Amino acid sequence: MHLTDATLATLPSAIHTPRYDRHGHAPGVVHLGLGAFHRAHQAMVFDQLLASGEMRWGIHGVGMTRPELVNQLRAQDGLYAVRIADGQGLRWQVPGGLWRTSVAATERDAVVQAMAAPSTRWVTLTVTEKGYTPALGQLLLDGLRLRQQAGLPGITIASCDNLQGNGHQLQALVKAACTAQDKLLQDWLDAHCAFPCSMVDRIVPAATPEVMAAAQEALGLTDHAALSTEGFWEWVIEDRLADPADAALLQSAGVRVTADVHSFEEAKLRMLNGSHTAMALIGAVTGRPFIASCIGVPHIRDFVHRLMSHEVAPHLSRSDWADYRDALIVRFGNPYLKHSVHQIATDSSQKIPQRWPPSVQGQMAAGASFEHHALAAALFLRYTLGVDEQGQSYALNDPQAESLMANGAAQREQPEACVRALLAREDLWGSALPGHAVWIARVLHWHQQVMKHGVDAAIQQLLAQEA
Ligand code: CS2
């Protein structure tokens, strides 16, 4: 038997389930990017609001391309279980806010109509870094145009992707989709819609068969959409909402609504995500499968600790960074999160620009050392060989895979040319780093060490040198 509305009542009483009416109201939120993250993060915040009687937070969840997950969720009436586990304990919860689903690639019109539905008050997005395309701007604009034409109120459109100034980026994309005839629409967007920036944080690995088996055991039911996450979650959103009254509501559910999202965004992108990408590449190249298996190794842990303390923190405006760093190290070690290094290494070309260059530039401006980031950049080149130090090959899952691998393939024979070609890419490093001679020399140095002595020895050498 599957987890569905009909079987919900059979779940063990220790499992937290929705007790509210899931069918009597229209969704108030359209979420684009129905991946694991949204379902274990924002959907659980909205579940809390629904449980408190605020019935405007049901979700119309939109998968952007693949229909499989949407089909599974439809077969389960939008229900799925989330295992929340860390050093504090383990519990299961079934959030109930997912009321409708669509697939944007095949049901575009349904998505546009959903955005233009009178009940819709928010659009939230987790479409990943590479999802910020003109097609996304057009999709949003088509929905917003229908709202404006129908005389409906404006809405909040909240980007929740790991991009600096994500709200500004999304707003620019929607504006770029406007044509000369859209003057009225543009004025309406400016006057009635809000594109707040926001920082979202919770480690939610892609679902695995192991989690599904654990769900079967805990629920006594089959759940093809089960997820595993940590207890920690954070959502910081800019206090710029189409309906200002939403701020107090979100705050009542634990969301931080503030004028200063920037300091949270930059700390999260450079500390958490920056370390994640470095560890993902270390793990992929050394053959360590999970983030926890990397941070559990003393020299990798020291490397990450020092990357954050010496090269990232000096340029952050978040003053409690030391507590944040220490909490991150504990979170990375969570034994329940089998967070695959290859999952995090996916789309590295889209992730690196937000995660590393701002810290390197900060160090350059301060005349300080950027050795940890230089080693990380060398590791990225080593990673593009597509084979680990045990001789196991792996696929590069990246929109730039072809050009990265074409360059990386020759790195044994022509290391210097390959390092230079990789570092010349402004799409990765921005405009300030590519011409910087010391940066190039240090990446070259670490690449040489990695190729000659292996990743672990290179990291140990770096730690000894900077001790
Ligand atoms: C990770 C993030 O896959 C990745 O790139 O760094 O998904 C990370 O787990 C989340 O941003 C944590 O909030």
Side-chain angles (χ1 to χ4, degrees), residues 37 41 129 162 199-205 230 232 234 268-269 272-277 324 331-332 339-340 343-347 351 355:
F37 183 84
H41 185 283
E129 296 85 348
N162 287 325
M199 182 278 258
V200 288
D201 187 7
R202 186 170 223 178
I203 297 177
V204 190
E230 57 182 343
F232 179 93
E234 197 171 25
K268 196 245 169 181
L269 287 169
L272 189 164
N273 298 116
S275 303
H276 248 177
T277 293
Y324 187 57
R331 291 171 63 198
F332 292 151
H339 203 183
S340 154
Q343 185 197 337
I344 299 170
T346 296
D347 293 349
K351 295 174 176 175
R355 299 181 179 197

Side-chain angles (χ1 to χ4, degrees), residues 264-397:
F264 292 93
E265 265 180 346
E266 68 176 12
K268 196 245 169 181
L269 287 169
R270 301 179 200 175
M271 286 257 205
L272 189 164
N273 298 116
S275 303
H276 248 177
T277 293
M279 281 187 283
L281 301 175
I282 294 173
V285 174
T286 59
R288 297 185 177 97
F290 305 117
I291 288 297
S293 28
C294 293
I295 203 76
V297 178
H299 62 262
I300 302 179
R301 187 193 176 92
D302 287 352
F303 173 84
V304 170
H305 190 277
R306 286 170 34 163
L307 173 103
M308 291 198 271
S309 315
H310 298 173
E311 297 185 17
V312 181
H315 315 290
L316 295 179
S317 38
R318 187 167 175 168
S319 54
D320 61 346
W321 63 264
D323 293 342
Y324 187 57
R325 173 203 59 200
D326 295 346
L328 283 176
I329 301 258
V330 175
R331 291 171 63 198
F332 292 151
N334 187 329
Y336 296 98
L337 300 177
K338 298 268 186 289
H339 203 183
S340 154
V341 293
H342 282 285
Q343 185 197 337
I344 299 170
T346 296
D347 293 349
S348 286
S349 72
Q350 314 295 300
K351 295 174 176 175
I352 285 173
Q354 293 76 246
R355 299 181 179 197
W356 295 347
S359 302
V360 180
Q361 257 179 273
Q363 291 292 90
M364 285 173 178
S369 144
F370 37 76
E371 292 288 271
H372 296 76
H373 282 90
L375 175 51
L379 277 168
F380 183 47
L381 179 58
R382 172 61 186 79
Y383 166 76
T384 65
L385 261 185
V387 56
D388 71 18
E389 291 179 340
Q390 275 70 50
Q392 289 285 329
S393 52
Y394 52 80
L396 251 67
N397 199 342

Side-chain angles (χ1 to χ4, degrees), residues 33-62:
L34 190 57
F37 183 84
H38 171 72
R39 290 186 293 126
H41 185 283
Q42 291 165 313
M44 299 187 80
V45 178
F46 299 149
D47 176 69
Q48 213 179 304
L49 289 171
L50 292 164
S52 73
E54 289 290 339
M55 300 316 291
R56 298 176 304 171
W57 298 88
I59 306 160
H60 184 137
V62 179

Side-chain angles (χ1 to χ4, degrees), residues 380-466:
F380 183 47
L381 179 58
R382 172 61 186 79
Y383 166 76
T384 65
L385 261 185
V387 56
D388 71 18
E389 291 179 340
Q390 275 70 50
Q392 289 285 329
S393 52
Y394 52 80
L396 251 67
N397 199 342
D398 193 299
Q400 293 294 323
E402 213 175 302
S403 67
L404 290 169
M405 290 186 84
N407 178 56
Q411 65 186 285
R412 289 192 206 280
E413 299 76 36
Q414 298 163 332
E416 179 158 357
C418 292
V419 169
R420 286 185 184 279
L422 182 72
L423 296 185
R425 293 182 63 146
E426 293 197 2
D427 62 329
L428 281 168
W429 313 106
S431 55
L433 269 53
H436 199 282
V438 182
W439 165 246
I440 297 173
R442 295 318 293 162
V443 178
L444 258 169
H445 169 77
W446 289 116
H447 182 256
Q448 206 173 31
Q449 300 310 308
V450 164
M451 298 307 279
K452 233 188 182 157
H453 307 295
V455 173
D456 288 313
I459 294 174
Q460 274 156 342
Q461 192 192 117
L462 171 51
L463 295 177
Q465 157 195 314
E466 298 252 316

